Amino acid sequence: MQTDYSESENVIRRLHEITQAYDKGFDYQIEGLLRLGLERFNLDIGILARIEGDTYRIESCVCPEHMPLKSGDTFEFGMTYCAVTCEAEDVVAVEHVGQSDILGSHPAYRQFGLESYIAIPIHIGKMTWGTLNFSSPAPYPRQFQDKDIDALQLMASWIEVELVRLQQEKQLRELNFKLKEMASIDPQTQLMNRPVFMDLVSRSMSQLRRYQTETESALLMLDIDDFRSLNDSYGYQLGDRLLKAFAQVLSRGLRSYDAVARYGGDEFIIWLGETDREGIRVVCDRLMSGLAQLELIDEKLSVSIGICHLKTRPFGMDAMAEFVQPEQVIDVMIAQADQALCRAKANGKARYEFYSDEPVYQDTLS
């Protein structure tokens, strides 16, 4: 048995159906709402418009194919009926614009010739966001009634609530992204922190083992020479500036697929993927030169570097490699690079040292 809905009940029912279709997206819902309005008012053009300064932009539009209107079209705000609607801060409903004191002399009437028009401002808080409007080149065959205005206000209310919800969702996504970013970045140097670095190195090592040939890479430990003395002599503010400046030197001196993190204090750690010993030397020379060129103090700044040079066998080349996971060897690599760093310090600083004369195989570091 079919239920006999009144016009108002039908609008409410249809609006509920449209607004519950969250899975289909806001654009789909707005198009459905515009079509509902056109059907309800028996008009030709339905528009949700955004107003930004002096610009009127169509966000969503439903109109006959022969009318040259589409989403993204912009007009001078003052040249639209909606300028009058926003000034009125209320529903404007005109059945025959040419006979209207409100819109009959408006420039938009001379330009577009739209005879019937009903619209309402859309607000977010106290700000006018835009308008919801329906119009037609033909005069409206009857007077707009209270139930028409009620239906328009109901549609506008949902749009306002949904715009606020979407705005809050966007702010929440941005906040979550910022919190995630803050959790992965060292706040003083803006480099990635240790946990993120370790995860990246682990994934990179796993990727290298999928190659068909042996590959080389390196893990570097870096320590700014005499950093504590610099802090004592020049103060901690200079130390903070030095850490930030050196972090920038490190970021500029590496390839896009390398990684650098602050390890702690004035120590930094670097992962160089797919590089040989000569490539490692080039990077070390570049980083040492970059620090030396910083003009934060009169003294020449220097850094010492310890290097674990790694060679990785592909899967299947060595039976032991099948059972050695990256997580098992990273700590050993760090320990070896740290030992090499200690030797560099003991041998006069401002230099780099390899842990061994030849690269060590990944599957031996367990």
Side-chain angles (χ1 to χ4, degrees):
M1 179 178 179
Q2 187 173 358
T3 305
D4 182 21
Y5 289 98
S6 69
E7 290 185 25
S8 297
E9 289 173 334
N10 185 56
V11 169
I12 294 172
R13 179 177 61 85
R14 292 276 304 282
L15 184 60
H16 178 76
E17 292 172 355
I18 293 167
T19 57
Q20 291 305 301
Y22 289 108
D23 58 321
K24 296 184 178 179
F26 182 66
D27 291 341
Y28 173 88
Q29 292 172 297
I30 290 297
E31 182 179 341
L33 185 145
L34 292 176
R35 293 189 183 279
L36 171 62
L38 292 177
E39 180 183 322
R40 174 68 184 81
F41 304 126
N42 194 25
L43 294 173
D44 297 313
I45 305 169
I47 293 175
L48 175 66
R50 178 77 183 270
I51 297 164
E52 295 176 314
D54 296 329
T55 301
Y56 171 98
R57 186 177 73 246
I58 296 177
E59 292 290 313
S60 185
C61 176
V62 175
C63 65
E65 292 183 2
H66 67 272
M67 291 186 175
L69 292 172
K70 63 182 184 301
S71 298
D73 286 350
T74 58
F75 302 90
E76 184 181 341
F77 175 52
M79 297 294 291
T80 66
Y81 290 166
C82 289
V84 175
T85 302
C86 291
E87 185 177 352
E89 284 290 318
D90 200 358
V91 173
V92 171
V94 181
E95 294 86 1
H96 201 312
V97 171
Q99 300 175 5
S100 165
D101 294 335
I102 302 175
L103 295 174
S105 60
H106 198 277
Y109 179 59
R110 295 193 297 271
Q111 183 174 357
F112 300 106
L114 297 173
E115 287 288 358
S116 49
Y117 172 79
I118 183 169
I120 186 171
I122 301 294
H123 296 100
I124 294 183
K126 297 181 179 180
M127 180 192 75
T128 299
W129 182 91
T131 63
L132 174 65
N133 60 89
F134 299 90
S135 58
S136 178
Y140 200 56
R142 60 176 177 81
Q143 281 192 332
F144 288 113
Q145 302 174 23
D146 288 344
K147 60 184 178 182
D148 297 316
I149 294 173
D150 289 344
L152 186 66
Q153 290 174 331
L154 188 61
M155 289 187 282
S157 295
W158 178 82
I159 292 174
E160 290 173 344
V161 170
E162 188 65 7
L163 287 173
V164 170
R165 186 184 71 83
L166 292 172
Q167 186 180 69
Q168 291 173 340
E169 279 189 356
K170 180 182 178 183
Q171 292 171 345
L172 184 59
R173 286 195 301 270
E174 291 173 348
L175 177 61
N176 286 336
F177 177 81
K178 188 172 183 64
L179 290 173
K180 185 176 180 181
E181 188 178 58
M182 290 173 62
S184 64
I185 291 177
D186 173 64
Q188 190 167 17
T189 62
Q190 298 303 300
L191 298 176
M192 67 178 72
N193 59 24
R194 285 172 61 178
V196 175
F197 177 86
M198 297 303 181
D199 180 65
L200 186 148
V201 173
S202 177
R203 288 186 283 111
S204 179
M205 291 173 65
S206 296
Q207 182 65 37
L208 291 175
R209 290 178 63 185
R210 295 187 177 95
Y211 289 4
Q212 297 300 311
T213 59
E214 292 186 351
T215 54
E216 297 179 42
S217 52
L219 189 138
L220 283 57
M221 296 290 295
L222 303 86
D223 185 272
I224 298 173
D225 294 327
D226 303 314
F227 184 76
R228 182 174 296 179
S229 298
L230 292 172
N231 268 337
D232 293 341
S233 300
Y234 296 96
Y236 287 97
Q237 288 186 338
L238 182 280
D240 291 343
R241 289 172 56 203
L242 175 55
L243 290 175
K244 294 176 183 178
F246 187 46
Q248 294 175 358
V249 169
L250 296 176
S251 297
R252 291 195 300 265
L254 300 177
R255 301 164 300 182
S256 61
Y257 53 88
D258 294 327
V260 57
R262 185 183 181 192
Y263 193 72
D266 63 319
E267 277 194 322
F268 296 82
I269 187 168
I270 290 175
W271 170 254
L272 302 177
E274 300 181 56
T275 186
D276 56 18
R277 186 152 294 211
E278 182 57 32
I280 298 169
R281 294 182 188 277
V282 169
V283 170
C284 290
D285 290 336
R286 184 188 305 140
L287 300 181
M288 294 172 71
S289 174
L291 178 61
Q293 291 174 26
L294 293 179
E295 297 179 351
L296 299 179
I297 56 176
D298 294 334
E299 301 175 44
K300 187 175 181 180
L301 298 167
S302 65
V303 63
S304 297
I305 306 173
I307 306 159
C308 175
H309 184 187
L310 186 72
K311 184 172 282 190
T312 302
R313 296 183 175 98
F315 282 117
M317 182 174 286
D318 191 305
M320 284 298 298
E322 308 298 325
F323 303 99
V324 179
Q325 300 302 316
E327 294 79 4
Q328 296 176 252
V329 302
I330 293 177
D331 286 345
V332 179
M333 292 172 62
I334 291 174
Q336 292 188 356
D338 192 56
Q339 289 181 43
L341 174 61
C342 291
R343 288 207 306 270
K345 292 282 189 182
N347 290 334
K349 305 177 183 177
R351 58 190 295 124
Y352 54 85
E353 295 276 355
F354 287 86
Y355 174 76
S356 57
D357 294 334
E358 297 294 332
V360 294
Y361 278 97
Q362 175 180 334
D363 49 274
T364 66
L365 301 180
S366 56

